[in-house]
Amino acid sequence: MPIDREALIAFTQELVRIPSVHDPATGRNEHAAAHLVADRMRAFGWMPELVEVAPGRPNVIATIHGGQPGPTLLFEGHTDVVTEGDPAEWSHPPFGADLVDGRIYGRGTADMKSGLAAAMVAAAAFKRAGVALRGKLVVGALVDEEDGMIGVRHLCTTEVGRELDAAIICEPEDNELCLEQRGVVWARFRVRGKMAHGAMPEAGINPIAGLGRLLAAAPGLERRLRKACEKSRYLRPPTVTPTIVQGPPPRVGVPQSNVIPAVAETTFDIRLTPGIDDDGVRAELEAICREVAAGQPGVKVEWEPVNAFRLATKVDRSEALVEAMVRGVKQAARRAPRYGGVPGSTDGTILRMQLGIPIVTCGPGDRLIPHQIDEWVSADQIVEAAKIYVASALNYLEAE
Ligand SMILES: [Zn+2]
């Protein structure tokens, strides 16, 4: 299926030139990028739906009907990008989308405006293919992937979302087929003691001592999670990383050198591989609370999730979507598929957890480049991704 390389690269550049960082402080958000996406969809002859998930922050959804009954496939992308940081550190302007030696530079080039552009151009080629198709192809350009993922969470509650049967997540993975994604749980532990004068520790219960035991227990928790989770060829093993330590936390009091605080807190950033469920993770976190509390009379230890659990995801190679993509890579890229794993979670995590549908993450861009200074994407990889998407969608939705 021919892909117009120049148009695809130009569209990627247009998208990158819109600084769609969601920043409540400056009022910047996805609005202009979403509207550029919608305008291009209209130019393709589609009727995009703009659904405001938060004020000025619309998901853009377009549906291409195959003509015969059948499954619904989603090409998923997001319109937000993370901050560019200090522009002075960039060798190319962060929103310039400079094309140099086959690479486009700028924030969002890899993560993931090139993937979104490739998905849209692929869907247009899919529509022109002129073969009998069944089911539906949905293109979704969602908001807020980089933060609370409110865009995809909203999509899951809509009729379009509930009808989905499978999704290709167009995130930067070097065009590898990623059937597994690591999960993430942020757990905030709260240790309660008793406030007292620092000169008379015997009059209080110091929660900071408990906090110390919690931090010391992190490696043990990591070992237990590694045992509970599956070993994966494509994912790094589970990790437990303390990221925040506060005693007292700001809302509870002012840190003072001669005051034993009443409360101390720490947050663990926990990354998981497949094989453990919600209850399994909760049981481990409860156990560590009990263990730490047992070490100091009078201290109370509890935990709470900082946001909803995003467990690791995995789909089977026998899924129809995976088979369609394996064939798609061979047809489009004229090579055997390469497999990989996603180090973090994506909007696909939410689709997999909430809807139970198979997802494959596959898109243009170096896996490690997102969120870095001088983010870039290879123009060749964008074109290859578009070809893979269209071939895979045709395999998945071609009528018998
Ligand atoms: Zn992304």
Side-chain angles (χ1 to χ4, degrees):
M1 190 54 49
I3 291 292
D4 183 341
R5 179 187 175 97
E6 302 310 316
L8 174 51
I9 289 166
F11 184 43
T12 302
Q13 289 175 303
E14 271 184 80
L15 280 169
V16 171
R17 288 180 185 135
I18 299 174
S20 52
V21 181
H22 170 51
D23 179 3
T26 60
R28 287 198 297 186
N29 63 20
E30 302 92 336
H31 188 264
H35 280 272
L36 176 61
V37 166
D39 287 346
R40 188 57 49 100
M41 287 174 165
R42 286 186 203 103
F44 286 150
W46 313 340
M47 292 196 302
E49 213 192 325
L50 278 82
V51 187
E52 286 229 333
V53 176
R57 307 180 68 196
N59 281 347
V60 186
I61 311 282
T63 303
I64 298 159
H65 295 267
Q68 297 180 34
T72 302
L73 173 64
L74 171 69
F75 285 168
E76 194 273 349
H78 60 84
T79 46
D80 59 323
V81 295
V82 296
T83 176
E84 71 278 26
D86 180 358
E89 286 190 43
W90 287 69
S91 0
H92 300 272
F95 298 105
D98 290 356
L99 176 59
V100 183
D101 296 333
R103 292 179 171 190
I104 307 173
Y105 288 88
R107 175 58 78 232
T109 46
D111 188 11
M112 58 164 289
K113 286 170 167 170
S114 60
L116 176 57
M120 288 173 58
V121 167
F126 168 88
K127 203 178 174 205
R128 288 195 310 266
V131 297
L133 296 166
R134 64 197 181 114
K136 283 180 248 174
L137 177 62
V138 175
V139 181
L142 311 181
V143 296
D144 200 49
E145 193 272 349
E146 300 290 0
D147 193 10
M149 300 185 172
I150 60 173
V152 69
R153 289 180 202 279
H154 184 274
L155 176 67
C156 289
T157 67
T158 64
E159 201 179 324
V160 177
R162 286 193 296 270
E163 279 181 11
L164 296 174
D165 292 290
I168 299 176
I169 312 301
C170 307
E171 292 273 3
E173 299 296 343
D174 284 306
N175 288 343
E176 293 179 355
L177 301 185
C178 300
L179 310 187
E180 298 178 25
Q181 307 191 120
R182 267 172 125 206
V184 53
V185 167
W186 292 324
R188 184 189 295 125
F189 295 89
R190 184 168 302 124
V191 185
R192 290 180 199 279
K194 184 172 172 245
M195 218 174 151
H197 196 299
M200 290 155 281
E202 66 278 14
I205 298 167
N206 194 344
I208 290 174
L211 198 82
R213 288 196 308 285
L214 252 176
L215 298 175
L221 175 63
E222 184 176 89
R223 277 194 300 278
R224 287 195 299 280
L225 289 172
R226 286 182 180 197
K227 265 195 198 136
C229 292
E230 292 168 16
K231 280 207 173 51
S232 164
R233 267 180 72 185
Y234 304 107
L235 302 176
R236 288 170 49 73
T239 46
V240 175
T241 309
T243 49
I244 303 173
V245 168
Q246 290 178 316
R251 65 181 189 287
V252 177
V254 180
Q256 290 181 328
S257 300
N258 58 351
V259 178
I260 294 172
V263 177
E265 290 181 355
T266 181
T267 299
F268 288 3
D269 180 341
I270 301 170
R271 303 288 164 157
L272 300 163
T273 54
I276 194 162
D277 63 7
D278 220 88
D279 289 343
V281 176
R282 284 174 193 278
E284 289 292 351
L285 297 175
E286 300 292 344
I288 195 174
C289 287
R290 281 196 303 273
E291 178 189 320
V292 169
Q296 186 182 3
V299 92
K300 282 200 180 70
V301 187
E302 60 199 10
W303 74 276
E304 63 183 6
V306 174
N307 59 8
F309 281 18
R310 283 171 276 166
L311 297 175
T313 66
K314 185 178 182 179
V315 302
D316 209 88
R317 285 208 191 185
S318 64
E319 288 283 356
L321 173 65
V322 179
E323 289 179 350
M325 292 194 78
V326 167
R327 278 198 289 142
V329 170
K330 289 178 189 157
Q331 295 156 341
R334 300 186 190 291
R335 59 170 171 82
R338 290 188 299 264
Y339 293 91
V342 183
S345 67
T346 67
D347 279 345
T349 306
I350 308 298
L351 293 169
R352 179 82 177 138
M353 286 180 69
Q354 306 258 313
L355 305 174
I357 61 170
I359 57 154
V360 175
T361 310
C362 172
D366 182 307
R367 176 171 299 131
L368 299 180
I369 204 70
H371 306 193
Q372 291 193 32
I373 297 291
D374 287 334
E375 180 179 344
W376 61 275
V377 66
S378 139
D380 287 345
Q381 246 184 24
I382 308 175
V383 175
E384 186 186 75
K387 290 180 177 172
I388 292 170
Y389 296 155
V390 65
S392 302
L394 288 170
N395 291 337
Y396 188 74
L397 295 171
E398 193 168 352
E400 256 103 77

